[in-house]
Amino acid sequence: DAANKDVEAANKDVAAANEARGQADKALEALREDLESARGGGEADQARLGAELQDARDEVQRRGDALRLAEAGRDMAREEASAALAEVERTRLELDAANKDVEAANKDVAAANEARGQADKALEALREDLESARGGGEADQARLGAELQDARDEVQRRGDALRLAEAGRDMAREEASAALAEVERTRLELDAANKDV
């Protein structure tokens, strides 16, 4: 928005410089007519008008230079506005992507946490079954013991998966923070560029 306002201001500068150049052209033309009318007059009048005509030519030149400078400033402001817009859009897309990654990582952690909780419950149920089978046959106890070990392994695996998901979430958060910092840096650079313009 600020860059676009700079372009608008630069366009006004060009219009003002163009108007000033036009006024200088008219003044020069009027002096030429005065000089033409004074052809039959005294040398002093012709010399004065000749000097004024040269001054008017110089003023037209100066205002023409000012117009070209204003046009160059306008073109530069337009280029900076386009570059700033592209940079803002790029950083915005990166931030959106990073935020989506964080959201997905949070869901992964929640799912892994739920899976770990289910494995814990299954392990606890097997422990109770094993306790109940204390007075039963050795075969039952051996089978429950093996199931108990499998359940412990499953809890371990799901715990590992949970820690992995948490690490992914932390990484996604760091990337989102970096993207946010990049957006802020871009904004500050844009502000600085607009002040330069």
Side-chain angles (χ1 to χ4, degrees):
D1 289 346
N4 285 332
K5 285 178 183 174
D6 287 340
V7 171
E8 188 177 333
N11 283 333
K12 288 179 181 175
D13 289 343
V14 170
N18 209 23
E19 174 67 19
R21 167 67 184 273
Q23 289 171 353
D25 280 337
K26 287 178 183 174
L28 178 61
E29 188 58 33
L31 277 170
R32 282 191 181 123
E33 290 174 3
D34 289 346
L35 187 60
E36 194 64 34
S37 301
R39 287 289 182 206
E43 287 184 15
D45 281 345
Q46 289 191 41
R48 178 182 55 78
L49 286 170
E52 288 180 9
L53 189 64
Q54 186 56 49
D55 288 344
R57 285 194 186 105
D58 292 343
E59 184 62 18
V60 167
Q61 179 67 39
R62 281 193 294 274
R63 294 193 183 185
D65 292 343
L67 173 59
R68 284 186 289 277
L69 193 61
E71 288 171 338
R74 176 200 60 199
D75 294 343
M76 186 180 297
R78 284 176 176 169
E79 287 172 11
E80 288 181 354
S82 295
L85 184 62
E87 181 69 5
V88 166
E89 181 63 13
R90 183 188 67 77
T91 53
R92 186 188 67 77
L93 291 173
E94 286 180 358
L95 181 58
D96 286 349
N99 284 333
K100 285 178 182 174
D101 288 343
V102 170
E103 188 178 335
N106 283 335
K107 288 179 180 175
D108 290 343
V109 169
N113 209 26
E114 174 67 19
R116 166 69 185 271
Q118 290 171 352
D120 281 336
K121 287 178 183 175
L123 178 60
E124 188 57 33
L126 277 169
R127 281 192 182 121
E128 290 174 4
D129 288 347
L130 188 59
E131 194 63 34
S132 300
R134 286 288 181 206
E138 287 184 14
D140 281 344
Q141 288 190 40
R143 178 181 57 78
L144 285 170
E147 289 180 8
L148 189 64
Q149 187 55 50
D150 288 344
R152 284 194 187 106
D153 292 343
E154 184 62 19
V155 167
Q156 179 66 40
R157 281 192 295 274
R158 294 193 182 184
D160 292 343
L162 174 58
R163 283 185 290 277
L164 191 62
E166 287 171 338
R169 176 200 59 199
D170 293 343
M171 187 179 296
R173 283 176 176 169
E174 286 173 11
E175 288 178 356
S177 295
L180 184 60
E182 178 71 5
V183 168
E184 181 63 13
R185 183 189 65 76
T186 303
R187 189 186 65 76
L188 291 173
E189 286 181 355
L190 179 56
D191 287 347
N194 284 331
K195 286 177 183 174
D196 289 341
V197 172

